[in-house]
Amino acid sequence: MRSTFTLLLVLFTCTLFAQSAVGTSVGRAIFSHGSTPKHSATKDTVIESDTTRENKEPQYFYISANTDIFVAAKGGVANRFSPAIEFGRTYGIFDLGLASGVTNSLAKGNDTTHYIELRPTINIFSKGRFNQGLCLGAGYIFNAKQAFMTEICNSINFNITTTVTVAITQGYYFFDGTNNSRSTQYVGFSLTYNFLKKHSTNRRRKRAAILSDN
């Protein structure tokens, strides 16, 4: 009887040990299987991060040649013509440029007055290769009685390629001095070159923005 009882106790103990071992093995198997989705989720997050990074707006430097004609000024073309060069950087729909040029509106005869101007511009509308920009500028005219200059303008831009853009502009200059001030209207034309390397990410982004609505 004792032998039978001892045998049953041994079998029962073995059974409990076996169940414990199987449970541990199954638990490990479930944990190991669960780690795979966790790894996949991490991989998906990386893919989403890369995708978001690829969809960021392009950033690049540019240079523009601007030619303005004052329509409210007296005199011939020499007294109305105001050329300038602008260099800046594009941040998606926002441009921040520094312009330097000459204006004849405050000088006598054929003399010119040099100025420097900060010109932030924002893209307020775009459709394919066309976009409309709004500029609010402020600058200083050297050796002028009305030295402080501000500007507000609109531009219609056409992207010929990813690197070359032409624009027609229309706006107003406001000149302020110690004792007097004045304003004048102008129309103009600009040619812009964008410094985009071939096969670069920014160039692909620029091309995608141009062709998105075509």
Side-chain angles (χ1 to χ4, degrees):
M1 185 70 180
R2 288 183 178 180
S3 299
T4 303
F5 179 78
T6 302
L7 180 61
L8 290 175
L9 182 61
V10 171
L11 291 176
F12 179 74
T13 303
C14 292
T15 302
L16 289 178
F17 178 78
Q19 287 180 350
S20 177
V22 171
T24 303
S25 178
V26 172
R28 290 178 179 175
I30 293 174
F31 179 79
S32 177
H33 179 72
S35 66
T36 302
K38 182 178 180 181
H39 177 71
S40 298
T42 304
K43 186 176 181 181
D44 291 343
T45 303
V46 173
I47 292 175
E48 290 176 2
S49 177
D50 290 341
T51 302
T52 303
R53 186 159 53 247
E54 288 297 325
N55 288 336
K56 284 185 178 180
E57 294 173 319
Q59 298 182 14
Y60 51 87
F61 291 99
Y62 68 88
I63 187 169
S64 297
N66 306 322
T67 57
D68 297 334
I69 298 294
F70 295 110
V71 298
K74 297 180 180 180
V77 175
N79 196 45
R80 295 169 179 260
F81 183 63
S82 176
I85 294 293
E86 178 182 345
F87 179 78
R89 184 169 175 82
T90 294
Y91 301 91
I93 64 172
F94 179 75
D95 298 342
L96 184 61
L98 186 66
S100 179
V102 294
T103 175
N104 295 19
S105 60
L106 300 179
K108 295 181 179 180
N110 292 327
D111 293 336
T112 60
T113 303
H114 294 263
Y115 70 86
I116 187 169
E117 179 188 11
L118 183 66
R119 301 184 80 248
T121 304
I122 189 169
N123 180 12
I124 57 178
F125 174 79
S126 62
K127 180 68 174 180
R129 293 182 180 270
F130 289 92
N131 68 277
Q132 181 181 3
L134 174 64
C135 169
L136 299 173
Y140 179 79
I141 305 174
F142 301 99
N143 301 321
K145 294 180 179 180
Q146 298 170 332
F148 182 63
M149 178 180 71
T150 55
E151 177 188 7
I152 179 171
C153 71
N154 288 292
S155 63
I156 299 176
N157 309 278
F158 178 74
N159 295 280
I160 300 176
T161 65
T162 55
T163 56
V164 179
T165 303
V166 294
I168 298 175
T169 59
Q170 183 274 331
Y172 294 87
Y173 281 118
F174 302 90
F175 306 102
D176 293 304
T178 303
N179 300 317
N180 52 27
S181 62
R182 63 169 300 213
S183 64
T184 185
Q185 184 181 7
Y186 72 88
V187 293
F189 174 84
S190 69
L191 177 66
T192 301
Y193 179 80
N194 303 313
F195 293 94
L196 291 167
K197 296 180 180 180
K198 292 184 178 180
H199 310 297
S200 65
T201 301
N202 281 326
R203 189 160 185 163
R204 291 197 301 270
R205 293 170 182 167
K206 176 71 173 180
R207 180 177 176 81
I210 293 175
L211 301 179
S212 60
D213 295 324
N214 285 346

